[in-house]
Amino acid sequence: MKDIRNIVILTGAGVSAESGIDTFRDGGGLWEQHRVEDVATPEAFARDPDLVLRFYDMRRESIQTKQPNAAHHALARLDREWEGDLLIVTQNVDDLHERAGAKRVLHMHGEHLNAWCTACDARVPWTGPLIGRPACPECGAAALRPDIVWFGEMPYRMDAIFAALERADLFVSIGTSGAVYPAAGFVRNAREFGAETLELNLEPSQGTPWFDEARHGPASELVTAWVDEVLGA
C-alpha cells in the first residue's frame, strides 16, 4: 500500500446483507417476492403507483430498524483514518455507511430516506410513508416519489464517479454481483486509468476475471481484515 494514495470503493448489496437487508435479486429474478419490472421501473410507477409506493414504504420502514455491521464500521474507520483521497460509491439505498460514521459516501442509486418531488425537483429527507401522497415540503405539490434510481434511469453523479476513478490508485469492489451496469464496468474503467483492482465478495462475481486480486468470504470478515492491512493495524 505504500504507493497507494487515492482509493475508490464500490459497495453493493453484499455489504448490507449481514445487517438483514436482502440482496436485490434472488435466483428467481425477484426482489422480496416482487418482479423487478413491477416495482423498480418508471413504467411500473406510471402503471400502478400505489403498488410501488407501498413497496418502498415498507422498505423505508424496515431499513430504519437495521444496524451497520462490521463491514460498514471497518469502512467508516478507513474513511476517518485514510489521509489520501477516498470515495465510497455505493449502489445501496440504505444509510448504513453513514450511520457507521462514513462521510465520503456517494449514493449512485439514490437513498430510501429521501423523497424526490417531480414537480419542483427538490430532494428532501423522508422517513415516513408516501402512499398518502403527502405534500412536498418545498413546493406543496403532491408529487413525491422514492428518491431511487430505477431501471432505465441514469445513476446519480456519474461525472464525479468517473473523475474519482481517473485519479484512483486502487479500486475495490465489495459485495457486488458484477451484473448491474454501469457499476459493473467500473473495474474496467479503473484498469484503463491504471489503478490496481481488488474484489471482496462472498463468492466469485461476474466481474471477478477483471480484478488483479479477488478474496471471497463474508463481507464482515473480509472488509475488516483488509482495512486492518491498509491501515497497518
Side-chain angles (χ1 to χ4, degrees), residues 139-171:
C139 73
L144 295 176
R145 56 158 271 187
D147 187 20
I148 302 296
V149 175
W150 289 327
F151 284 93
E153 296 180 329
M154 180 62 68
Y156 295 156
R157 299 184 62 193
M158 291 299 296
D159 288 348
I161 294 170
F162 282 117
L165 288 170
E166 188 171 6
R167 295 191 306 270
D169 303 307
L170 175 65
F171 171 75

Side-chain angles (χ1 to χ4, degrees), residues 15 29-30 37 101 151 185:
V15 168
L30 300 177
E37 295 80 2
F151 284 93

